[in-house]
Amino acid sequence: MPKSFIRSRSLAFARQGGNCFYCDLPMWTKCADAFASAHRITVAQAQQFQCTGEHLVALQDGGTNSESNVVAACRFCNVHRHHRRPAHAPSPWDYKQQVQRQMTKGRWFGARVLKTPIEPAVRNR
C-alpha cells in the first residue's frame, strides 16, 4: 500500500473524528480487542469496524491517493459498497444516502451491533 494512501487514510480518520464516512459509526485503527471491549461486542464483530481507506474517485477512473480523494470507511461499509460488480457499485454519495436510510431503520450491521439509539421524538409539554 503506498505511503501516500496510508497517510491520506490516517488524515481522513482524524478529520472524520474516527467515524465512518458512510455509517458515521466509530472505527478503530490499532486494536480490535480494545474496541470490542469498549463497545461490549465480540472481536469478530469489531473486525467489521476496522478503518479502511476509500477512494471517492477510483484510481482506475483517474483518482489519486490525495487526502481530498480518500475518506475513512469501516470495513463493513467499504466491502459492501464494492460487493457488486465495479460497474454497478453506487457512487460514494449515493451509497452514503443508502446506508443512512438503513441506519435510521436499524437495518444496517453497525446499528444493530452497536445498538445505536434512534433519536426520540421531541414531545410537546
Side-chain angles (χ1 to χ4, degrees):
M1 201 174 311
K3 287 182 182 182
S4 61
F5 180 74
I6 293 169
R7 182 176 187 281
S8 293
R9 180 186 61 200
S10 296
L11 290 170
F13 180 84
R15 183 176 62 242
Q16 295 167 211
N19 292 336
C20 175
F21 177 76
Y22 298 114
C23 67
D24 202 34
L25 292 174
M27 300 178 292
W28 62 272
T29 58
K30 293 188 174 26
C31 184
D33 291 332
F35 185 90
S37 179
H39 293 281
R40 296 183 176 151
I41 59 177
T42 67
V43 174
Q45 290 170 324
Q47 293 295 333
Q48 297 299 314
F49 294 96
Q50 181 180 12
C51 178
T52 65
E54 173 80 329
H55 289 94
L56 296 175
V57 177
L59 295 176
Q60 67 190 22
D61 297 330
T64 66
N65 287 328
S66 68
E67 64 182 272
S68 63
N69 190 48
V70 175
V71 295
C74 70
R75 178 171 302 285
F76 185 85
C77 286
N78 195 341
V79 166
H80 281 79
R81 175 171 174 247
H82 298 287
H83 195 245
R84 305 168 200 175
R85 287 179 280 152
H88 295 95
S91 75
W93 299 275
D94 289 343
Y95 185 64
K96 184 173 185 165
Q97 289 178 339
Q98 291 172 13
V99 170
Q100 291 298 314
R101 280 193 300 272
Q102 294 299 312
M103 289 287 294
T104 60
K105 295 175 184 177
R107 293 184 182 159
W108 197 247
F109 169 81
R112 291 191 314 267
V113 171
L114 294 182
K115 296 177 179 53
T116 304
I118 296 174
E119 294 296 318
V122 177
R123 294 184 180 151
N124 293 332
R125 294 184 184 207

